[in-house]
Amino acid sequence: MHKLEAFIVSFNCLDLLSITLPRNLPELDSVIIITKEEDKETIDYCHSLQDSKISIFVTDAFTFDSAKFNKGLAIAQAFTVSKFRDYLITQDTDIILPKNFKRDFLALNPDIEKFYGIRRVNLDTKQDLDNLDSGVKRLEDFICYRGSGYGFMSIVNYNSTTYQKLLKEWNGFGYPFWVKEAREIDWIWR
């Protein structure tokens, strides 16, 4: 059976991570939290969950070579420690995967040569999340219609010919690492 491994950049975002990570763990086989050594709160929080699915990848790549926020290099480095080398998911800290995400994704019999994403749903407040969970509001009340899989959440198979080609072209890094700020990296990856 395929494995889903998420790579989540979470630097000084514990307020969001503490909401999203517990909800996402049942849908994933492995989660690698990418952060900086200075973010002790995130590191301590992840350790406190005592879940074998969670690994912490500490890096100074975010500011390497005077970068503002080199999210790409941080993810590229973290990809090198993939446990399963199957489906690699990049997702922002604020993403909550839909219930039954893993079951539904794998039921699609995904093609390892394709890049996958999901439609973004914007929940701006904790009350929005509570309203969705309780059924007061529907998912359609929050959907953002700007496309799917752009940056905030994407899935690629490690064994795809495209990904293997990128590994060769990018000197062993399977994610665009040269852009020194996060703004453009998601579009380049897509």
Side-chain angles (χ1 to χ4, degrees):
M1 171 144 55
H2 287 292
K3 301 288 187 183
L4 303 182
E5 186 167 34
F7 294 80
I8 303 171
V9 172
S10 187
F11 177 58
N12 291 337
C13 296
L14 185 56
D15 57 334
L16 294 170
L17 187 68
S18 63
I19 295 169
T20 60
L21 184 57
R23 294 175 75 110
N24 288 337
L25 276 172
E27 304 301 328
L28 300 164
D29 297 294
S30 170
V31 178
I32 297 174
I33 302 297
I34 308 164
T35 193
K36 291 181 79 167
E37 189 173 345
E38 303 92 271
D39 190 1
K40 299 288 187 206
E41 285 186 324
T42 295
I43 294 168
D44 291 345
Y45 171 73
C46 291
H47 286 306
S48 76
L49 294 177
Q50 298 182 350
D51 192 310
S52 62
K53 290 183 184 181
I54 301 171
S55 300
I56 302 162
F57 186 83
V58 176
T59 181
D60 62 356
F62 299 107
T63 53
F64 177 76
D65 197 22
S66 303
K68 290 181 181 180
F69 188 70
N70 194 333
K71 174 181 165 182
L73 182 57
I75 293 171
Q77 287 180 346
F79 270 11
T80 65
V81 298
S82 170
K83 290 180 181 177
F84 297 115
R85 302 201 178 227
D86 199 358
Y87 281 101
L88 309 175
I89 301 172
T90 57
Q91 66 184 71
D92 289 350
T93 305
D94 62 343
I95 298 303
I96 295 174
L97 297 172
K99 288 181 177 143
N100 301 312
F101 173 77
K102 181 179 179 180
R103 182 198 71 196
D104 294 346
F105 177 72
L106 295 177
L108 294 172
N109 194 22
D111 181 341
I112 69 166
E113 296 301 331
K114 292 187 178 176
F115 184 101
Y116 293 91
I118 60 174
R119 185 165 299 285
R120 184 165 185 111
V121 176
N122 284 346
L123 304 175
D124 296 318
T125 66
K126 176 76 167 81
Q127 186 62 51
D128 287 344
L129 180 60
D130 293 342
N131 286 339
L132 183 62
D133 281 345
S134 68
V136 169
K137 295 230 176 181
R138 299 172 304 132
L139 198 60
E140 295 78 24
D141 296 328
F142 300 103
I143 288 180
C144 180
Y145 291 98
R146 65 174 178 237
S148 65
Y150 289 98
F152 60 88
M153 195 279 194
S154 59
I155 307 172
V156 66
N157 192 289
Y158 181 90
N159 298 300
S160 71
T161 55
T162 300
Y163 188 77
Q164 290 301 309
K165 180 180 172 188
L166 293 176
L167 281 173
K168 287 179 185 151
E169 288 178 12
W170 295 344
N171 299 317
F173 285 130
Y175 197 86
F177 57 88
W178 57 87
V179 179
K180 292 185 178 183
E181 58 182 276
R183 186 173 36 177
E184 293 180 37
I185 198 68
D186 296 331
W187 290 99
I188 292 169
W189 175 236
R190 177 69 170 157

